[in-house]
Amino acid sequence: MSVKFWKIYKYGKKLGGYVKVEQLKEVWGMTDERYNEIKKQVMIKPITTRKVNINTMNIKELTSHPYIDYYLAKEIIKFHQTNGAYKNIEELKKIHLVDEATFNKLSPYIEVK
């Protein structure tokens, strides 16, 4: 099955923008073969990603981001309710579901205001 451009575009919109070419592997239907064919033709420009404010989002809004599942959204909100507003995104690391890899994946897409 060939991955259509619109799938790549749609996933990028859902993410809030691509920050690494490797994220193309996350597009539904992307095979290693297809990825290897197109990766040299893709350039990720340093743009500003669309960020979600973890202090104001509800579970439904948080889970609309591909990197935040229901359980993580629930813990993000629980931490906020227990400890007050997040002061910085580093506080996400205090949530047991957020290891360093998860934080690094999420950090371009989250903010606190």
Side-chain angles (χ1 to χ4, degrees):
M1 176 190 340
S2 175
V3 176
K4 304 289 184 198
F5 172 77
W6 65 266
K7 286 184 182 180
I8 294 170
Y9 175 79
K10 187 176 176 182
Y11 187 71
K13 290 289 280 182
K14 193 170 185 178
L15 272 175
Y18 291 101
V19 293
K20 299 186 297 186
V21 173
E22 292 80 13
Q23 288 175 293
L24 293 175
K25 294 178 184 179
E26 300 167 10
V27 175
W28 189 86
M30 181 68 71
T31 63
D32 288 339
E33 180 182 6
R34 183 67 177 139
Y35 171 74
N36 288 327
E37 288 173 9
I38 67 172
K39 71 180 180 183
K40 291 181 182 173
Q41 300 169 21
V42 176
M43 184 173 84
I44 306 296
K45 293 182 181 181
I47 60 166
T48 304
T49 57
R50 181 176 34 84
K51 297 179 184 279
V52 296
N53 182 353
I54 57 175
N55 280 325
T56 61
M57 305 287 276
N58 62 38
I59 287 181
K60 185 176 180 181
E61 292 166 328
L62 286 169
T63 58
S64 70
H65 194 279
Y67 294 162
I68 303 175
D69 65 13
Y70 172 79
Y71 301 104
L72 179 54
K74 190 175 169 182
E75 290 300 314
I76 289 170
I77 290 172
K78 182 179 172 184
F79 184 91
H80 178 263
Q81 290 171 338
T82 304
N83 300 292
Y86 289 91
K87 293 167 191 65
N88 58 64
I89 64 171
E90 296 284 325
E91 288 186 297
L92 272 183
K93 293 179 180 180
K94 295 179 181 178
I95 297 173
H96 70 282
L97 296 174
V98 180
D99 58 13
E100 194 67 27
T102 302
F103 178 79
N104 290 336
K105 196 173 181 180
L106 273 173
S107 62
Y109 302 104
I110 57 174
E111 66 183 359
V112 296
K113 288 184 177 181

